């Protein structure tokens, strides 16, 4: 009697050796297709990490992210999952001939698959898949090489899921790019003026602008600042980008606050401080009545007076449960 396959990943490898993986996935019903795709994911993700992500994170200057998948930060992990998904997409469609060494075959597929996946994701939100400046835009910018280059950067940026802090555009990095591109390191010109110049020309083709710039830009997840902006009245240095409702803004704020609290607790616990003291103090600062107000200065917590948090901090049983949970998370990181 043939040995039963232990996992969906084993079955994926077996089907690949037989040359029937793509046909089997294409002909499967939904539950079976999901099972085999999950098996392909198990095979693909370690290959993508070692063959692409690890080196990329080193080049980005993220040594911790280059240690293992478990060490990837949120943004890097999102990019990793996008790349794995793109490779799985191609594996279950292109494995039409016998493949003896599936891992090696996947290595040869990574670059084309991730590029195609990137283009598909851009296309799904309406962004140009291969950003180029059309002739009318080049003419409208007077053929200025830097402004045309900036326009292409902007068209690429709107289809990129990453954000620029509380700004719409990555002004700081583009300021450095401008210096390198023009060779003028002494110029104090604000790149915001260049961005506005490009936008003015783009807006002359309203339908094109809404389709390829404004529409894709609206798909970005807006980050929430930890502290209320302290700008004088009439100060326009912090542009507004209200693309989500207040509920989503609250959710983003609370996630960031929880991440900061966990980071603070992990740092203090690894320094040898008393767990109960650390947990109580960090929770009080982050979520108690002394918590910093968010965004517009208004409370972002349902317990605006801090009474619920205060009751938790006075309940030693609850504190012990929280300490145990925090220690388990810290130990797992």
């Amino acid at each position: 009697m043939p040995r039963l396959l232990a996992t969906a990943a084993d079955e994926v490898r077996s089907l690949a050796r037989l040359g029937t993986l793509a046909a089997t996935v294409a002909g499967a019903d939904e539950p079976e297709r999901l099972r085999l795709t999950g098996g392909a994911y198990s095979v693909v993700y370690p290959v993508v990490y070692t063959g692409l992500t690890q080196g990329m994170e080193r080049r980005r200057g993220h040594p911790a992210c280059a240690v293992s998948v478990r060490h990837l930060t949120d943004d890097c992990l999102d990019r990793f999952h996008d790349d794995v998904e793109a490779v799985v997409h191609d594996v279950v469609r292109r494995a039409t001939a016998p493949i003896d060494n599936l891992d090696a075959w996947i290595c040869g597929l990574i670059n084309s698959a991730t590029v195609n996946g990137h283009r598909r994701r851009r296309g799904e939100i309406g962004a140009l898949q291969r950003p180029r400046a059309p002739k009318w835009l080049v003419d409208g910018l007077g053929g200025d090489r830097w402004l045309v280059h900036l326009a292409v950067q902007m068209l690429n940026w709107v289809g990129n899921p990453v954000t620029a802090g509380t700004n719409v555009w990555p002004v700081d990095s583009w300021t450095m790019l401008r210096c390198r591109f023009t060779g003028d390191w002494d110029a104090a010109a604000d790149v915001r003026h260049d961005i506005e110049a490009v936008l003015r020309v783009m807006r002359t083709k309203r339908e094109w602008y809404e389709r390829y710039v404004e529409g894709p830009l609206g798909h970005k997840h807006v980050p929430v600042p930890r502290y209320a902006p302290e700008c004088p009245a009439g100060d326009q240095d912090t542009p507004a980008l209200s693309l989500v409702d207040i509920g989503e803004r609250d959710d983003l704020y609370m996630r960031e606050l929880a991440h900061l609290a966990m980071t603070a607790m992990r740092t203090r616990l690894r320094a040898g401080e008393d767990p109960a003291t650390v947990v109580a103090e960090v929770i009080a600062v982050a979520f108690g009545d002394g918590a910093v107000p968010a965004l517009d200065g208004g409370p972002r917590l349902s317990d605006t007076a801090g009474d619920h948090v205060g009751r938790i901090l006075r309940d030693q049983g609850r504190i012990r449960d929280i300490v145990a949970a925090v220690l388990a998370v810290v130990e797992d990181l």
Side-chain angles (χ1 to χ4, degrees):
M1 179 181 292
R3 182 179 65 88
L4 293 176
L5 294 170
T7 65
D10 291 333
E11 187 169 350
V12 165
R13 292 184 185 277
S14 177
L15 291 170
R17 284 192 293 270
L18 294 172
T20 58
L21 176 58
T24 302
V25 172
D29 58 21
E30 185 67 9
E32 181 66 2
R33 185 184 65 81
L34 290 175
R35 189 181 71 83
L36 291 174
T37 301
Y41 193 100
S42 298
V43 174
V44 165
Y45 89 83
V47 181
V48 171
Y49 182 77
T50 57
L52 175 69
T53 307
Q54 200 167 41
M56 190 177 297
E57 295 303 334
R58 290 195 184 103
R59 291 190 292 274
R60 286 194 178 110
H62 297 177
C65 293
V67 173
S68 72
V69 174
R70 293 173 58 191
H71 287 79
L72 289 170
T73 59
D74 290 345
D75 288 344
C76 297
L77 185 62
D78 286 344
R79 284 193 294 266
F80 170 70
H81 283 311
D82 285 341
D83 289 338
V84 172
E85 182 180 343
V87 175
V88 169
H89 177 276
D90 277 21
V91 165
V92 299
R93 287 163 177 78
R94 295 176 58 179
T96 56
I99 303 169
D100 291 330
N101 189 333
L102 184 58
D103 290 6
W105 184 78
I106 291 171
C107 282
L109 192 69
I110 289 176
N111 287 338
S112 62
T114 52
V115 169
N116 290 335
H118 175 69
R119 289 172 178 167
R120 278 196 303 273
R121 290 191 297 275
R122 292 181 64 87
E124 288 170 359
I125 63 173
L128 291 169
Q129 295 186 27
R130 296 180 177 86
R132 295 183 177 88
K135 186 176 185 303
W136 62 265
L137 181 55
V138 175
D139 293 342
L141 296 172
D144 184 288
R145 289 181 61 252
W146 158 243
L147 292 180
V148 172
H149 184 74
L150 178 62
V152 175
Q153 295 298 311
M154 293 167 67
L155 292 173
N156 184 62
W157 172 255
V158 298
N160 192 323
V162 301
T163 58
T166 56
N167 293 309
V168 178
W169 309 101
V171 174
D172 292 341
S173 62
W174 285 352
T175 298
M176 294 298 296
L177 177 63
R178 183 185 189 278
C179 292
R180 290 195 299 270
F181 190 91
T182 63
D184 186 1
W185 294 87
D186 296 324
D190 193 336
V191 77
R192 290 184 180 86
H193 298 157
D194 296 340
I195 294 171
E196 285 303 320
V198 174
L199 288 174
R200 278 196 299 272
V201 178
M202 287 180 170
R203 291 184 185 119
T204 61
K205 300 285 188 180
R206 191 69 200 178
E207 184 176 344
W208 182 93
Y209 174 77
E210 290 177 352
R211 180 175 180 179
Y212 295 120
V213 180
E214 196 171 67
L217 195 62
H219 286 270
K220 284 186 182 286
H221 293 290
V222 184
V224 180
R226 286 191 290 266
Y227 309 107
E230 297 179 357
C231 298
D235 192 339
Q236 300 300 315
D237 285 345
T238 306
L241 182 59
S242 299
L243 301 179
V244 296
D245 60 28
I246 192 169
E248 187 170 348
R249 287 168 60 190
D250 287 353
D251 183 58
L252 287 168
Y253 175 75
M254 291 301 293
R255 288 184 183 184
E256 182 174 357
L257 193 60
H259 173 72
L260 291 172
M262 193 64 237
T263 300
M265 286 189 281
R266 183 170 64 245
T267 301
R268 292 179 60 180
L269 288 171
R270 287 179 173 174
E273 295 189 42
D274 175 62
T277 301
V278 168
V279 168
E281 289 182 356
V282 172
I283 290 177
V285 171
F287 303 104
D289 55 4
V292 178
L295 207 62
D296 56 5
R300 284 284 179 259
L301 306 174
S302 59
D303 179 32
T304 56
D307 292 339
H308 179 60
V309 173
R311 287 195 298 273
I312 290 176
L313 296 178
R314 291 189 294 270
D315 186 334
Q316 293 304 309
R318 296 289 297 277
I319 288 292
R320 282 194 296 271
D321 291 342
I322 297 173
V323 168
V326 169
L327 290 176
V329 172
V330 170
E331 184 179 353
D332 193 48
L333 292 174

